[in-house]
Amino acid sequence: MWFVLAIIALVCWSGSDLFSKIGSKPDDKNSHWKMVMAVGLVMGLHAAYEIFIGGVAITFNDIIAYLPASILYIGSMVMGYIALRYIELSVSSPICNASGALAALFCFIFLREAPETPVWIGVILVGIGVVALGFSEMSESDEHRLLRQEKANVKYTKSWIALILPLLYCLIDAAGTVADSIILEGMNEDVANVAYELTFLAMGVVAAIYVLGIKREKPSVPREVPKLIGAVCETAGQLAYIYAIGNEEHMGAAAAIISAYCALSVLWSRIFLKEKLSVKHYISILIAFVGIIILGVFDA
């Protein structure tokens, strides 16, 4: 069963990347808040199911106790959603998924958790891949960029913000992982997950007040449907991930499979979004991907 759950998480999280990207239109300055609305709605519904049907007992104190991790995770996702307006999913997803390497480094620096040698190798490979990916992105000439984007659904110009936003996701998400590991020492994982979902619901309500009330935007159904699909994929992937790595005997294998989701995101972007990168981009992504897989195996 762990293998099926790992595959579900792999497909769902890559699907979340794809549909979030489709729903993040460059001309929609509030697309990230609309994504927060969609994810908050879906996670809120699942939290209600867990509480009233699944029997998860949660208190306001539990939500407050898990709040540091929740805020960091949600903040990182907002950065990721903004980034999707400025950069190809093929570039954004591998950078965002490098947060595991940064989390391992943070745990070593702040928690004095010394990782094994293979984990260090994975961290180094991810770092090399991400730096090389950024260099490939910024050193590319405008002529080559326009040529390879000829058949793409959206054209992108060279921009530092396009790289800074995924890097911010990586940094904040890694900090969330550290906070998560500390808080979960004294909290049940099911309770923590529901606390996270309820916090996301609250953020979704705030986003809705801003978009619908203050900005007075009227959502367009065709433009918002991909966001809802992305939100469903995100929530389903999160649940599958929790139960897949909950099997201690197969934790490493499950984590390795799930960590490959950014490769599937790159594949979906090539097929459905017609994104095409240069050879230097793909080599950089491959290096980072190998490092991510090593981390998935040895740092589960």
Side-chain angles (χ1 to χ4, degrees):
M1 189 63 183
W2 69 268
F3 180 77
V4 175
L5 289 169
I7 295 297
I8 291 173
L10 169 76
V11 174
C12 285
W13 272 350
S14 64
S16 176
D17 274 357
L18 174 64
F19 286 105
S20 298
K21 175 63 176 175
I22 294 173
S24 299
K25 304 298 184 183
D27 63 341
D28 186 356
K29 295 182 179 180
N30 292 314
S31 64
H32 53 291
W33 292 124
K34 294 172 185 175
M35 274 302 311
V36 171
M37 288 167 55
V39 177
L41 172 63
V42 175
M43 286 196 176
L45 290 172
H46 180 260
Y49 172 85
E50 288 292 320
I51 294 170
F52 298 111
I53 299 178
V56 175
I58 187 169
T59 65
F60 183 72
N61 287 336
D62 292 324
I63 298 173
I64 297 300
Y66 196 71
L67 193 59
S70 295
I71 292 299
L72 288 167
Y73 281 144
I74 295 170
S76 68
M77 291 180 70
V78 172
M79 292 296 105
Y81 293 144
I82 299 173
L84 292 176
R85 298 209 315 266
Y86 297 97
I87 196 170
E88 289 100 332
L89 177 60
S90 308
V91 178
S92 174
S93 185
I95 295 176
C96 290
N97 209 23
S99 62
L102 199 56
L105 189 60
F106 282 174
C107 286
F108 171 71
I109 295 172
F110 298 110
L111 304 181
R112 302 302 179 188
E113 295 181 0
E116 300 175 4
T117 300
V119 174
W120 279 120
I121 294 173
V123 170
I124 292 169
L125 286 174
V126 170
I128 292 172
V130 169
V131 171
L133 189 58
F135 181 79
S136 301
E137 183 70 10
M138 296 309 297
S139 63
E140 186 178 34
S141 68
D142 292 336
E143 291 79 11
H144 285 156
R145 182 183 298 273
L146 290 173
L147 185 62
R148 69 174 174 80
Q149 291 181 354
E150 187 177 356
K151 295 182 180 179
N153 293 338
V154 181
K155 304 294 188 297
Y156 300 92
T157 57
K158 191 186 301 183
S159 168
W160 282 107
I161 194 173
L163 287 177
I164 290 172
L165 288 168
L167 286 172
L168 281 175
Y169 172 100
C170 183
L171 178 65
I172 299 171
D173 187 70
T177 301
V178 176
D180 197 16
S181 65
I182 295 171
I183 296 170
L184 285 180
E185 290 180 0
M187 182 180 289
N188 177 273
E189 287 188 356
D190 289 333
V191 172
N193 186 55
V194 171
Y196 169 65
E197 291 182 327
L198 290 175
T199 305
F200 218 128
L201 172 62
M203 285 296 297
V205 171
V206 172
I209 292 172
Y210 176 74
V211 174
L212 304 178
I214 299 176
K215 289 296 183 179
R216 298 189 180 278
E217 287 196 25
K218 295 181 179 179
S220 169
V221 173
R223 289 169 70 100
E224 309 311 326
V225 167
K227 295 183 180 69
L228 281 172
I229 298 175
V232 171
C233 288
E234 177 66 32
T235 306
Q238 177 182 309
L239 291 174
Y241 168 80
I242 291 171
Y243 292 112
I245 65 169
N247 186 322
E248 294 186 4
E249 183 180 355
H250 301 287
M251 182 186 295
I257 292 170
I258 297 168
S259 65
Y261 85 85
C262 72
L264 203 55
S265 297
V266 173
L267 178 62
W268 296 153
S269 67
R270 183 71 182 91
I271 294 172
F272 298 107
L273 305 179
K274 308 303 180 185
E275 293 181 359
K276 184 179 180 181
L277 303 181
S278 68
V279 174
K280 290 190 295 184
H281 282 90
Y282 285 122
I283 291 175
S284 303
I285 290 171
L286 179 61
I287 294 171
F289 176 67
V290 171
I292 289 168
I293 292 297
I294 291 173
L295 286 170
V297 173
F298 293 98
D299 198 39

